[in-house]
Amino acid sequence: MVIPPAIGAADDLHAWLLRGFVEAGLPDVTAGGEVPEAGAFNARSVYEGGGVDGVHLCFPGYDPGEEWVYRCVVAGVSVHVACPDTLFTHAYAGLSPAALGGRVLADARAHNEAFLAWRGQGGNPSVAEMRAIPQVRGTPASQALVRFLERRYHAGQGLAEGPSQGWWVQASTPRALGQGISAGLGYDPTYRLKGETPLHDRPEYREYAASIRTLGTVMLVTASVSMLGAGLALTYAGFNVFKHRADIILARGISGYQDLLTANAWPLLFFLTAMVFAICLILAGLRMRALRNLMLVRVLLGLAAVPCSGACCLVGLPVAGWALYRLSDEKAAAVFARGRLGG
């Protein structure tokens, strides 16, 4: 499944952090307001500073009027969270973007509560300890996110109102999804086919469909080998003509086994039959890879399996025969129905 953008058209980690904080119920104090005990987030550094200073996660401090700020700085594919006032520093990497905001918030809250309890017991961090917390300069946020936040905050809107107002993820709002489904353009095949899930997408048919595609690949490889043999036969026949050996251009003058091998009619016959064999397998393999035109595939495989198709019948009979056997399964009609249902 393709993960949709986090906010508007933005899918960078800055956007996923902000979305995670909103979905966790954090209030937005970017435009001002009191920071509650459970915390709040501030996105001013993103749309004013470009995001290099990260998203700020704020908590009330120990002393009245004090505020502890956890800077969530995006550095490439990782997020570094640091707060010198509470001696917190941690780097996050490898997490799902959708789970990132909730994980950072949970860790910051747990540490903040423990630090408050420590301060209440008389603990007090030294200046040297606070200066030892690294301050990372991050990568800028995407311009799509910066412009998005500028428009919203300049209009007096906070991110917390986004989901209810329909601009949280423009392409995934109920209105946009409903319009897509009614037009037959829904993301899920069920909606594209107006309520009917194609059989080849059901779990019980997926393994069989994959085996047919693999068999189609085998057909293409076998056809490539046959075309190589046909090319060699044509080259040999051309060499005979180039040498002006009129007695072997056709099949006359054959008196023994050696003459039979050098007679030009046989290389030409091998070339023609091998090409027919290869063309049948190429068309059948492509249709099997696409899971379309079951009847055409069966006819082509039948032609490839005919013994009179030349020297390649030694390969064509077992390969095409096995493919025909696999296509005799009752699942074949449902799997190849994709060609009718899906166009």
Side-chain angles (χ1 to χ4, degrees):
M1 181 182 73
V2 178
I3 299 177
I7 300 177
D11 60 356
D12 54 344
L13 292 182
H14 295 85
W16 282 108
L17 276 172
L18 290 170
R19 177 169 176 170
F21 292 157
V22 172
E23 291 178 340
L26 278 184
D28 184 358
V29 295
T30 304
E34 184 177 354
V35 177
E37 184 177 348
F41 70 90
N42 190 325
R44 182 178 296 275
S45 63
V46 178
Y47 75 87
E48 288 187 351
V52 294
D53 197 41
V55 180
H56 291 176
L57 187 57
C58 309
F59 294 92
Y62 181 74
D63 297 322
E66 185 181 13
E67 186 174 286
W68 292 337
V69 178
Y70 292 73
R71 293 173 60 245
C72 306
V73 178
V74 176
V77 296
S78 62
V79 175
H80 297 257
V81 182
C83 177
D85 293 330
T86 62
L87 306 181
F88 181 86
T89 178
H90 191 75
Y92 297 84
L95 291 175
S96 167
L100 184 60
R103 173 67 180 276
V104 170
L105 176 60
D107 291 350
R109 277 177 172 170
H111 176 82
N112 207 67
E113 292 177 3
F115 191 81
L116 275 173
W118 180 71
R119 286 293 306 271
Q121 296 172 0
N124 194 19
S126 65
V127 176
E129 288 176 320
M130 289 189 290
R131 288 180 177 177
I133 302 300
Q135 298 294 307
V136 179
R137 182 175 178 82
T139 54
S142 65
Q143 287 301 308
L145 178 62
V146 172
R147 290 193 297 267
F148 187 91
L149 295 180
E150 286 178 346
R151 291 195 303 268
R152 296 305 168 182
Y153 284 115
H154 289 167
Q157 295 178 315
L159 287 181
E161 292 79 21
S164 62
Q165 295 187 10
W167 49 261
W168 187 250
V169 180
Q170 296 286 2
S172 299
T173 59
R175 179 182 179 87
L177 289 176
Q179 291 175 343
I181 293 171
S182 63
L185 301 175
Y187 295 125
D188 191 276
T190 302
Y191 300 126
R192 286 201 304 271
L193 298 173
K194 303 187 186 308
E196 182 181 355
T197 302
L199 292 178
H200 67 272
D201 277 346
R202 295 182 182 177
E204 61 269 28
Y205 288 91
R206 288 173 187 165
E207 183 177 355
Y208 177 76
S211 67
I212 294 301
R213 289 192 176 100
T214 302
L215 200 53
T217 303
V218 174
M219 299 291 108
L220 296 177
V221 173
T222 305
S224 300
V225 175
S226 178
M227 291 190 70
L228 178 61
L232 293 175
L234 184 62
T235 301
Y236 180 73
F239 174 76
N240 286 340
V241 174
F242 179 75
K243 298 293 285 186
H244 301 290
R245 297 178 61 185
D247 59 320
I248 63 171
I249 290 179
L250 297 178
R252 65 173 181 264
I254 299 176
S255 60
Y257 180 73
Q258 190 64 28
D259 292 337
L260 182 64
L261 291 178
T262 58
N264 215 36
W266 297 108
L268 289 175
L269 181 61
F270 183 92
F271 164 74
L272 293 175
T273 56
M275 284 300 297
V276 171
F277 175 82
I279 291 173
C280 289
L281 286 191
I282 288 175
L283 293 177
L286 291 175
R287 293 295 82 190
M288 291 171 71
R289 292 283 304 166
L291 298 178
R292 302 191 181 197
N293 307 106
L294 177 59
M295 183 57 66
L296 175 62
V297 170
R298 286 173 171 168
V299 171
L300 292 171
L301 291 176
L303 292 175
V306 173
C308 63
S309 60
C312 290
C313 70
L314 299 176
V315 178
L317 187 58
V319 173
W322 173 251
L324 285 171
Y325 170 75
R326 293 290 293 151
L327 292 177
S328 65
D329 194 292
E330 60 181 7
K331 297 178 182 177
V335 169
F336 277 81
R338 176 184 182 181
R340 296 193 299 272
L341 296 176

